[in-house]
Amino acid sequence: MSRTTLTRRGRLAAAGLAAAVAVAMPYAATHAAEPDRPAATAGKKPSQHGQIVSLMRHMSLPQKVGQLFVIEVYGRDADNVSDAAKAGNQKLYGVDTPAQAIAKYQPGGVIYFTTRGPDNIGDAAQVATLSNGLQRAALRQRPKIPLNIAVDQEGGALVARFGPASGATQMPGQMALGADGSTVDAARSAEVIGTELAAVGVTQDYAPVADVNLNPNNPVIGIRSAGADSDAVSDIVAAEVGGFDAGGLSSIAKHFPGHGDTGTDSHYGLPEVTHSREELESIDLPPFEAAIDAGIDAIMTAHVTVPAIDPSGEPATMSEPILTGLLREEMGFDGLIVTDALDMQGASATYPPDVAPVEAFLAGADQLLIPPQMDTAYAAVLDAVKDGTISRKRLDESVYRILKHKLDNEIFESPYVNAAAAPAVFGDPAHKADAQAISDRTTTLVKNDDDLLPLAPGPKDVLVAGWGVDTTAGIAAGFQKRGATTQVLQSGTTPTDAQIDAAVEAAAGKDLVVVPTNNAWQINPATGQPTPASVAQTKLVKALLATDTPVVVAAMRNPYDVTSFPEAATVLDTYGYTSHQLESLVRVLHGEVDPSGKLPVEIPDLFPLGHGLSY
């Protein structure tokens, strides 16, 4: 994609907007002038445009500001929550329940979480009931505007709020899909995720990840990306947009303009993308353009600086040249722009709670996700509109987009879901079968120097030693189903010398050792040296390689682990550790599945992108 292409697209979009018909009917004296009708709706949905205009006429200024925010709430029910959830809601909002938070702010959306504290997600029926309760709370207000209910469900084991305990199908993640290389599988994976989320009342998924992971030491993206080849990532992302749509869910591509070549985690710092404009156009931007061409509803910003676009050093989330100049004007995107969470250090360390939301909105964002201090953020945006820092016209443009998004996705028409039917959707056997079949096409055989694989038939005595309680147990269970006797020695991400010695001792007399690793290559960017976990896991692998027992090393997360022990003869990459990926690994080891996954990234100095062995 060239700069000429972007500029031409931007000119066309601008021309379309200029040609849009301005509606002559004025607002009441307390409202700003009515926004121009976006080019995307001109001549197509006059009834929808009229509905949006009518809604906006009946909205107060505080209600419009409320629509900009996407908040978290504590608890598994809208009205009846635990004491711990009450404490969480009190701390954030000064209220007891999620329903009361909705009534207080009338936000445009809510995001579900599990581990960070809100504890929103149990099983399918519970989440569906929570969603219905939140929508009921929103629709008690006047005018009646339903919520966007969002979640991070990227697929894979890394960013999956609906984990195995929820009963949701665990589809493989982005890098696994990149190893598969099938757009059909990518679309089906997104469709399954979308179908299940829609069944429990979720309306938006913060997926697909559109980042191109060029940096092996990227601490925050890694297997969340489909790979290092921009064209391949673009194909996967475009297919997923269609898949989510087929599943009845709105998707959000992230993290614009690209978080794949960074060495800092934006949850804890502010990364810099050092790509030139030409590199951005050839590497980082094409997947987002592909998402736009596929009809993506929304794009999420990245808390990264991009000097080639904005030399001021503003994070993309707060950068008008990036959000308005590049994304809106040059790339012609007129959907929702959603900030990444404003409580992340990439935003909050630089901008105070009363500054971040205003700056992000002025830069071009429509939805402000999880401000660290909601009262402060809400008041700051409201005051900025009142004093003219944010124009009424600019506010109305975003409110229009948010309402249009909800109408386009039929949230007004169908805000509630059937909670009794949701468990059957989560438990659909076809979903589980597809998850396994797709996972079987992702496992990559990197090395098979001793022709150990596929394993010879017959009973075996197997040691599974290395990272992950569930991972080691799952691999052992797979061997047991095939008649093996197994011993499990789980040693976490940083095995101790005692654990390493125990594994070496246990390997004596075994027929096979399987060693799952998790980032056994990782470098501390501050020191340039391997992390303690990398050092310890490498020591474990090398100690086991020194025994007389055949060893299979399985990199369960990022595929770069082999660089720490290139002498290992048998190495596989799974790009994740869902139950289906563990089963796929065992199937490949036994020759029940011919490995077909190809490396979607380069392993520096060892293996090129596209490498992968088969039987």
Side-chain angles (χ1 to χ4, degrees):
M1 177 176 56
S2 67
R3 184 170 185 171
T4 302
T5 302
L6 283 173
T7 305
R8 182 174 66 250
R9 179 164 292 161
R11 286 199 303 268
L12 291 173
L17 285 167
V21 178
V23 180
M25 188 181 302
Y27 278 97
T30 57
H31 293 79
E34 183 176 320
D36 288 350
R37 182 173 164 193
T41 64
K44 293 183 180 179
K45 290 187 177 180
S47 60
Q48 184 196 70
H49 178 64
Q51 186 174 355
I52 296 171
V53 169
S54 178
L55 281 167
M56 291 178 67
R57 278 204 196 95
H58 290 88
M59 293 173 71
S60 67
L61 179 58
Q63 286 175 320
K64 289 182 178 181
V65 170
Q67 282 295 304
L68 307 180
F69 287 94
V70 180
I71 67 172
E72 59 183 341
V73 291
Y74 278 66
R76 294 191 175 187
D77 186 87
D79 300 293
N80 301 297
V81 297
S82 67
D83 289 343
K86 285 181 183 178
N89 290 319
Q90 279 289 340
K91 181 178 179 181
L92 290 177
Y93 311 124
V95 301
D96 287 340
T97 69
Q100 290 167 351
I102 300 303
K104 179 176 181 179
Y105 301 106
Q106 297 183 48
V110 168
I111 179 171
Y112 286 158
F113 281 108
T114 48
T115 54
R116 66 177 268 153
D119 188 30
N120 302 130
I121 298 171
D123 59 26
Q126 171 267 314
V127 178
T129 301
L130 171 61
S131 298
N132 287 342
L134 293 175
Q135 296 288 17
R136 195 172 296 113
L139 293 170
R140 289 192 191 109
Q141 316 304 317
R142 296 291 187 276
K144 295 177 177 290
I145 302 174
L147 294 163
N148 273 314
I149 298 177
V151 74
D152 288 290
Q153 189 75 7
E154 296 174 3
L158 205 57
V159 181
R161 310 306 183 200
F162 286 83
S166 72
T169 303
Q170 305 300 296
M171 302 304 295
Q174 287 293 82
M175 192 166 285
L177 293 172
D180 177 0
S182 166
T183 55
V184 173
D185 283 350
R188 177 55 181 161
S189 181
E191 183 181 10
V192 169
I193 293 172
T195 300
E196 295 188 1
L197 293 181
V200 296
V202 173
T203 67
Q204 288 182 311
D205 189 7
Y206 292 149
V209 172
D211 303 313
V212 180
N213 198 81
L214 292 183
N215 188 341
N217 204 41
N218 192 320
V220 66
I221 303 301
I223 60 170
R224 298 170 64 195
S225 162
D229 181 86
S230 184
D231 290 340
V233 173
S234 298
D235 291 343
I236 294 292
V237 166
E240 289 173 314
V241 173
F244 281 118
D245 187 61
L249 197 74
S250 171
S251 55
I252 299 176
K254 60 186 185 185
H255 307 80
F256 187 84
H259 206 323
D261 195 5
T262 58
T264 301
D265 185 341
S266 53
H267 291 86
Y268 308 109
L270 181 58
E272 179 181 68
V273 177
T274 60
H275 288 182
S276 67
R277 175 71 194 230
E278 290 72 23
E279 288 171 326
L280 287 164
E281 290 177 1
S282 64
I283 298 168
D284 301 283
L285 298 181
F288 293 99
E289 184 183 47
I292 293 169
D293 290 344
I296 194 80
D297 285 328
I299 290 176
M300 175 180 279
T301 69
H303 300 324
V304 298
T305 62
V306 190
I309 305 296
D310 186 352
S312 72
E314 298 274 10
T317 300
M318 287 80 176
S319 170
E320 185 175 4
I322 293 174
L323 299 190
T324 298
L326 177 59
L327 184 54
R328 287 273 188 234
E329 295 173 359
E330 292 192 49
M331 297 178 72
F333 179 63
D334 197 40
L336 291 179
I337 298 179
V338 185
T339 71
D340 206 342
L342 293 176
D343 63 353
M344 293 166 59
Q345 287 293 302
S348 63
T350 310
Y351 296 90
D354 61 335
V355 175
V358 175
E359 290 300 314
F361 191 76
L362 288 171
D366 301 300
Q367 289 186 304
L368 306 170
L369 177 62
I370 319 177
Q373 297 177 20
M374 181 60 184
D375 284 343
T376 300
Y378 182 91
V381 175
L382 186 60
D383 288 345
V385 177
K386 289 179 178 179
D387 69 18
T389 301
I390 295 173
S391 71
R392 299 294 182 100
K393 183 176 185 294
R394 171 69 185 87
L395 174 65
D396 283 346
E397 287 172 355
S398 285
V399 174
Y400 188 104
R401 286 192 188 97
I402 292 165
L403 296 177
K404 181 181 182 300
H405 173 91
K406 293 178 180 182
L407 285 165
D408 285 345
N409 289 281
E410 300 181 352
I411 306 172
F412 279 90
E413 181 180 340
S414 303
Y416 302 115
V417 293
N418 184 342
V425 179
F426 271 33
D428 188 336
H431 292 182
K432 312 304 180 190
D434 285 344
Q436 187 61 63
I438 295 171
S439 296
D440 285 347
R441 293 188 280 272
T442 66
T443 302
T444 303
L445 179 57
V446 179
K447 296 185 70 178
N448 193 23
D449 293 354
D450 293 341
D451 292 325
L452 175 64
L453 303 181
L455 295 171
K460 295 174 181 62
D461 190 2
V462 179
L463 171 66
V464 183
W467 171 77
V469 174
D470 293 338
T471 302
T472 51
I475 293 171
F479 272 92
Q480 290 166 9
K481 285 193 300 184
R482 291 159 176 85
T485 301
T486 63
Q487 180 180 358
V488 173
L489 292 176
Q490 196 281 138
S491 53
T493 56
T494 312
T496 64
D497 287 345
Q499 289 173 318
I500 293 170
D501 290 343
V504 169
E505 182 179 351
K510 293 290 194 294
D511 297 312
L512 181 71
V513 178
V514 180
V515 191
T517 61
N518 182 330
N519 287 359
W521 55 274
Q522 196 165 38
I523 303 298
N524 183 333
T527 65
Q529 298 301 311
T531 63
S534 173
V535 170
Q537 289 187 59
T538 301
K539 187 175 181 180
L540 170 65
V541 171
K542 291 192 173 189
L544 289 168
L545 290 174
T547 68
D548 293 329
T549 306
V551 175
V552 171
V553 183
M556 306 304 299
R557 188 168 167 178
N558 287 299
Y560 309 104
D561 289 8
V562 66
T563 60
S564 291
F565 32 80
E567 67 270 34
T570 311
V571 180
L572 300 97
D573 293 334
T574 63
Y575 316 99
Y577 37 93
T578 69
S579 61
H580 300 296
Q581 289 172 306
L582 298 180
E583 173 65 16
S584 174
L585 171 64
V586 175
R587 289 182 178 188
V588 167
L589 295 179
H590 286 84
E592 298 164 11
V593 167
D594 189 0
S596 59
K598 305 298 180 184
L599 285 175
V601 295
E602 176 189 2
I603 309 298
D605 302 319
L606 287 177
F607 300 103
L609 187 150
H611 169 79
L613 305 175
S614 59
Y615 299 146

